[in-house]
Amino acid sequence: MTVLMIVTAVGALFLGIYLGLPKRFDQTPEEIDKLLGKDGEHAKVDRKETFISILHKRAQKGSDRRRTRTRRPFKF
């Protein structure tokens, strides 16, 4: 039973590493130049809302931060 759990954990680890790897880069320089256009401008990227970005958002709004101008490192 323990061996099965270890093999499953190692398999899950390798699957996670494999799925987390970046995609293969297989574009030719001509395709890259065509995608960049004449001026070399990059296309705008749409920002996507992910579960991790929701967790990292600050609960405090910018207006609340501007309202408190004094620096208070510790709140007693």
Side-chain angles (χ1 to χ4, degrees):
M1 184 68 178
T2 306
V3 175
L4 181 62
M5 290 173 49
I6 293 173
V7 170
T8 304
V10 170
L13 176 68
F14 284 128
L15 180 66
I17 291 172
Y18 175 73
L19 292 177
L21 290 175
K23 295 180 182 177
R24 295 190 116 214
F25 185 76
D26 57 352
Q27 289 179 326
T28 63
E30 291 81 23
E31 289 176 351
I32 294 172
D33 288 339
K34 188 169 67 171
L35 289 173
L36 286 176
K38 294 182 241 177
D39 301 330
E41 294 282 328
H42 291 279
K44 296 286 182 182
V45 177
D46 293 333
R47 298 289 180 200
K48 295 183 176 136
E49 193 76 22
T50 62
F51 179 70
I52 300 296
S53 67
I54 292 170
L55 291 177
H56 284 284
K57 279 188 181 177
R58 293 186 180 260
Q60 187 181 27
K61 296 180 183 175
S63 58
D64 294 336
R65 285 193 303 272
R66 286 188 297 274
R67 232 179 269 133
T68 58
R69 291 284 181 173
T70 59
R71 182 175 181 264
R72 288 185 240 163
F74 304 106
K75 293 183 180 179
F76 291 110

